[in-house]
Amino acid sequence: MGKSKYTYIWVSFIILVFGIIFIPKIIDRVYKGTVVESDRMSIDMNNGNLAFIVINGEKRKVPDFAFVNQDSLLITNNDYKGKVYVVEFFFTTCPSICPIMNQNLVQIQSEFKEFDDFGVASFTINPTYDTPTVLKEYAEKYGVTNLNWNLMTGDAQGIYDLANSGFNIFASEVPSAPGGFEHAGMFALVDRNGYIRSRVDDFGNPMIYYRGTITEEDGVNDQGEQEQIGILKEDIQKLLEEK
């Protein structure tokens, strides 16, 4: 038998052993949800589900929080257990993006008004001014009616930590900025178990957040960025149907 035939047999043997040993393990990891980042992207692209945000091999979960809402009630992350909800960071005197963000959220509220397991968590980044009374007036002004929509205030550092570290959504006091604060106009989507979820882009990477500063009616902004409220509503529906 020639050397090339021996080589062929040896390579075939290695492939066979790899298949016997490793493929069942990979399949088992998929079903148990323990795939690593490189595996997760291809799986999320193929199964039609929304992606989990995976950092250092762990699914990103909403950290514990406890703040007071517009009705002066203490609200924690536990109040959202079993619910699908959207998270935003805003402030009531914001002269730029916040009005658009909250108009979009009111539209989403109307879309899902029949679902008592859908909610919104709005955290003010100007808690010194945004007292429960101010937040109550703001909620009434914008037409907040969902009982699971809490506009929350409390310790400023705690809110900034939640925004910047918990969600990686930028928020900071910047005296030179319009209104005295800067923040990203993004929405985060959270599932019933407290995990941050999103769809994937054309390359299989999680979008992570949804652009909240463009209305469906406008479609695009001056920079040519597309609105994402439409896909956010689609993804909320997916999570509401998820078992």
Side-chain angles (χ1 to χ4, degrees):
M1 186 179 293
K3 182 177 180 181
S4 61
K5 291 184 178 179
Y6 279 115
T7 301
Y8 175 80
I9 292 172
W10 178 244
V11 170
S12 299
F13 176 75
I14 292 174
I15 293 174
L16 178 61
V17 171
F18 178 87
I20 293 172
I21 295 175
F22 292 103
I23 289 179
K25 293 183 178 181
I26 292 174
I27 293 174
D28 184 58
R29 291 173 64 210
V30 168
Y31 280 105
K32 291 181 178 178
T34 58
V35 291
V36 296
E37 179 73 8
S38 58
D39 292 330
R40 179 190 53 73
M41 291 182 180
S42 62
I43 291 166
D44 284 336
M45 287 179 66
N46 292 327
N47 67 12
N49 294 331
L50 298 184
F52 290 89
I53 312 307
V54 180
I55 299 177
N56 296 326
E58 294 186 359
K59 299 174 184 177
R60 173 58 70 92
K61 198 168 190 177
V62 176
D64 293 344
F65 64 80
F67 298 103
V68 175
N69 75 354
Q70 68 269 30
D71 296 313
S72 297
L73 300 174
L74 181 66
I75 302 297
T76 76
N77 52 294
N78 290 327
D79 289 294
Y80 286 95
K81 281 187 176 179
K83 298 178 178 64
V84 174
Y85 64 105
V86 177
V87 172
E88 71 158 345
F89 293 88
F90 82 112
F91 60 108
T92 62
T93 55
C94 174
S96 54
I97 62 176
C98 296
I100 301 173
M101 293 170 65
N102 283 293
Q103 288 166 12
N104 282 330
L105 286 175
V106 168
Q107 182 193 12
I108 292 172
Q109 170 189 253
S110 298
E111 188 89 5
F112 297 98
K113 62 183 178 181
E114 303 300 326
F115 293 84
D116 57 9
D117 51 356
F118 171 71
V120 179
S122 299
F123 301 92
T124 177
I125 60 173
N126 184 12
T128 301
Y129 179 83
D130 288 340
T131 62
T133 300
V134 171
L135 293 176
K136 183 74 170 180
E137 293 173 352
Y138 188 85
E140 292 173 349
K141 173 184 176 182
Y142 277 84
V144 173
T145 57
N146 186 325
L147 297 178
N148 297 319
W149 187 342
N150 296 286
L151 289 75
M152 290 171 272
T153 187
D155 175 68
Q157 190 57 54
I159 292 173
Y160 292 141
D161 288 345
L162 181 66
N164 296 311
S165 299
F167 284 94
N168 290 336
I169 296 179
F170 175 74
S172 179
E173 183 174 2
V174 181
S176 60
F181 298 85
E182 282 189 358
H183 64 113
M186 310 300 286
F187 296 147
L189 179 59
V190 184
D191 70 16
R192 299 180 190 277
N193 297 310
Y195 290 102
I196 302 172
R197 304 282 291 278
S198 77
R199 63 174 58 192
V200 297
D201 62 20
D202 293 338
F203 302 98
N205 301 310
M207 284 176 38
I208 305 179
Y209 306 114
Y210 298 79
R211 194 173 295 121
T213 56
I214 310 171
T215 66
E216 281 189 282
E217 182 180 359
D218 288 338
V220 296
N221 62 12
D222 294 338
Q223 289 73 47
E225 295 174 321
Q226 296 286 331
E227 64 86 17
Q228 294 181 337
I229 300 305
I231 63 172
L232 174 57
K233 290 194 291 189
E234 291 175 4
D235 293 349
I236 290 170
Q237 185 66 47
K238 286 181 181 180
L239 289 186
L240 286 170
E241 295 172 354
E242 191 174 83
K243 303 301 182 182

